[in-house]
Amino acid sequence: MTEVVFVGTSDAFGAGGRRQAAVLVRMPGGTVLLDCGMTTGTGMNALGIAREEIDAILISHFHADHFGGIPQFLLATLYEDRRRRPLRIAGPPGVEARVRAASAALGHPIVDAERSHPLAFDELPTRGEAEIGPVHVTSFATRHQPDAMPHGLSIRNGSEKVVYTGDTGWFEGLPRFASGAQLFVCECTQLVRGYDFHLSHEELVEHKGAFDCGRIVLTHLGTDTASRRGKLAFETADDGMVIRV
Ligand SMILES: [Zn+2]
Ligand SMILES: [Zn+2]
């Protein structure tokens, strides 16, 4: 069984008072965190989730609301947890340099010799596949600011499959990546189409018939979508929501 906990469900700006992107996925054999926005530490503490539980952090792209929480996460594994277990951080090409640069810029550079636990980085290029902790990960390019190396993440463990878009605008291949997933976690920043690099509820309704997957849950909610919770054509995530698939 797979258990998913939505730690943060807002857009980049904390719309509706929600926390930024972070989705915890518990699968047989381990736990991964999909994205780690800047508010993730607060969310995990609020929900009683221990950092120690997480085998790997998988990053969809290099925007602060998706990976800005990693420097503090790493500081806490060192000083709060005195972690011993290995931790992996996987993401688009350049993930190690990006995380190290962000950590240094925020005042807590990663000093390998001082770490209490093994820390490894894995690059997940477009269509790349890797075994990361307990899951088999495939990544796919999405339609978002190219400088941020945007990717969606498809994770599998046995027959269980969860697909997460990260940030993306609409593109024709999207339903194919979601195909066969028991759970498809899809961003929906806007109510109506407007900004090309984010999805809208309007577009998802238009293409609803193209999705051949199980439960679809919308996240990365902007002000308009967050305020219409329960009135949309799809289920929406809330901070702290737990799903078992
Ligand atoms: Zn975002
Ligand atoms: Zn983004």
Side-chain angles (χ1 to χ4, degrees):
M1 190 183 73
T2 296
E3 184 174 83
V4 174
V5 184
F6 289 87
V7 178
T9 60
S10 83
D11 63 0
F13 314 119
R18 292 160 181 254
R19 295 183 289 260
Q20 295 171 351
V23 183
L24 189 84
V25 182
R26 296 183 172 121
M27 283 181 148
T31 300
V32 297
L33 183 66
L34 307 181
D35 280 339
C36 184
M38 292 182 289
T39 51
T40 303
T42 305
M44 287 177 55
N45 277 305
L47 298 170
I49 298 167
R51 284 175 293 271
E52 194 72 10
E53 177 191 355
I54 295 169
D55 297 288
I57 302 172
L58 311 182
I59 302 166
S60 66
H61 67 295
F62 302 124
H63 276 156
D65 60 315
H66 296 260
F67 90 119
I70 291 180
Q72 295 309 107
F73 188 104
L74 291 177
L75 196 65
T77 59
L78 187 58
Y79 291 107
E80 284 280 303
D81 307 338
R82 300 302 299 168
R83 183 180 177 116
R84 295 290 172 189
R85 298 180 57 225
L87 177 70
R88 307 187 79 87
I89 298 176
V95 59
E96 179 167 1
R98 293 269 194 160
V99 169
R100 287 185 184 277
S103 298
L106 294 173
H108 300 290
I110 299 169
V111 180
D112 294 308
E114 291 179 356
R115 297 214 65 83
S116 60
H117 65 92
L119 175 64
F121 292 89
D122 298 273
E123 294 198 346
L124 289 170
T126 301
R127 296 188 179 278
E129 298 192 22
E131 303 295 329
I132 309 286
V135 297
H136 183 85
V137 186
T138 310
S139 90
F140 55 93
T142 62
R143 180 181 171 82
H144 194 55
Q145 275 95 347
D147 289 350
M149 304 286 287
H151 286 78
L153 299 165
S154 174
I155 63 173
R156 278 192 291 117
N157 182 313
S159 61
E160 300 182 21
K161 179 178 175 183
V162 174
V163 175
Y164 168 61
T165 60
D167 284 357
T168 189
W170 174 257
F171 61 98
E172 287 302 323
L174 183 60
R176 181 162 40 87
F177 292 115
S179 181
Q182 284 92 356
L183 176 65
F184 177 46
V185 180
C186 185
E187 83 118 290
C188 185
T189 310
Q190 315 170 100
L191 194 61
V192 295
R193 51 163 58 79
Y195 184 57
D196 269 357
F197 287 155
H198 282 296
L199 272 168
S200 66
H201 181 257
E202 180 182 39
E203 290 162 297
L204 288 171
V205 168
E206 282 174 19
H207 296 286
K208 194 173 182 182
F211 288 97
D212 169 27
C213 57
R215 197 164 169 177
I216 298 175
V217 177
L218 306 184
T219 190
H220 204 276
L221 305 176
T223 304
D224 289 345
T225 42
S227 66
R228 284 168 176 76
R229 178 188 184 282
K231 298 175 186 150
L232 300 173
F234 298 87
E235 184 179 3
T236 51
D238 289 316
D239 289 3
M241 188 168 92
V242 179
I243 287 178
R244 294 179 184 89
V245 289

